Amino acid sequence: MPLASTIRPIRSGRSSRTRPRTGRVIGAALAALFAVALAACAPDPVAQQYLSGDGKGYISADGAVVEIAPEDRGDPIVFGGVTEDGEEFSSADIAGDVTVVNFWYAGCAPCRVEAKDLESVWQANEDEDVSFVGVNIYDQADTAKAFAETYGVTYPSLIDVDSGEAKLAFASDAPLQGTPSTLVLDKQGRVAARIVGALDGPSILSTLVKDALAESA
């Protein structure tokens, strides 16, 4: 049964001498309340990212899943970069594999939650023709390595914050719509499925990987 779903965008009074002051007081109180709420709900960099409007906000664990039929897929994605261990990586190194690409950064709370599910699917498929590659869009190598050690992530991640090389490679076929986002590439390197938002457990990703493996190259 297809897992595809459609991504839908999360979509006074007469003046007097005293009313403007009241409005300012109420506005200030609401602003203070909003700031307190942000501080309570998002103590990590997400609150600051939201306030600064720099576009690094994240999507929680109700992300949309889209599968793309083979005849509707774009060209193979050629991407690469340098991993957190300083090693050069190219998609040519994993040609012919079904590849899972996860966009993340350490301060993203849903990224921390889904790490165990990504690792679980990787461990279950590492003996197959499957590769996993993270793309860290915000952190330097030391932060990414600390995250991997803390959350038990054993597949490599590209450090993309300075060059944006990996993110740019996917921009035409699968532009980043939120963090985290996960792509499944078929054996030809084309985008076969995407999950926008955190994984809701490992089962959906596992099914997407198995579906891609079952396709003829």
Side-chain angles (χ1 to χ4, degrees):
M1 180 175 180
L3 296 168
S5 64
T6 302
I7 298 180
R8 296 183 176 86
I10 299 175
R11 300 247 196 259
S12 39
R14 293 171 59 185
S15 61
S16 70
R17 185 169 299 177
T18 58
R19 287 178 66 85
R21 182 177 179 183
T22 302
R24 287 196 298 270
V25 171
I26 293 174
L30 288 174
L33 181 61
F34 181 64
V36 170
L38 273 178
C41 297
D44 61 25
V46 173
Q48 293 303 316
Q49 290 158 10
Y50 176 80
L51 290 172
S52 65
D54 63 5
K56 297 193 189 73
Y58 59 76
I59 297 175
S60 61
D62 55 356
V65 180
V66 175
E67 287 187 277
I68 303 168
E71 62 272 18
D72 295 329
R73 294 171 192 168
D75 295 329
I77 307 295
V78 177
F79 67 104
V82 178
T83 72
E84 70 269 68
D85 292 323
E87 298 179 356
E88 293 285 343
F89 170 87
S90 169
S91 54
D93 300 335
I94 55 174
D97 283 1
V98 170
T99 303
V100 174
V101 182
N102 176 253
F103 293 86
W104 69 283
Y105 63 97
C108 159
C111 300
R112 298 193 293 266
V113 171
E114 73 169 6
K116 67 180 185 304
D117 295 325
L118 287 160
E119 180 66 18
S120 172
V121 180
W122 163 235
Q123 292 286 348
N125 290 279
E126 62 177 336
D127 293 331
E128 306 292 335
D129 294 328
V130 175
S131 293
F132 271 57
V133 181
V135 178
N136 188 303
I137 64 170
Y138 189 58
D139 304 314
Q140 297 296 336
D142 287 347
T143 301
K145 288 170 72 172
F147 181 99
E149 291 172 4
T150 299
Y151 293 96
V153 177
T154 60
Y155 55 84
S157 280
L158 306 180
I159 303 304
D160 206 47
V161 59
D162 293 325
S163 70
E165 178 184 352
K167 188 164 68 172
L168 182 61
F170 289 93
S172 60
D173 282 64
L176 190 61
Q177 297 176 311
T179 311
S181 285
T182 303
L183 305 176
V184 178
L185 310 184
D186 65 16
K187 297 174 184 178
Q188 299 178 44
R190 305 174 301 172
V191 178
R194 64 180 181 266
I195 302 171
V196 182
L199 302 182
D200 188 12
S203 61
I204 290 177
L205 179 59
S206 181
T207 299
L208 293 172
V209 169
K210 291 185 185 306
D211 287 349
L213 278 171
E215 296 174 359
S216 57

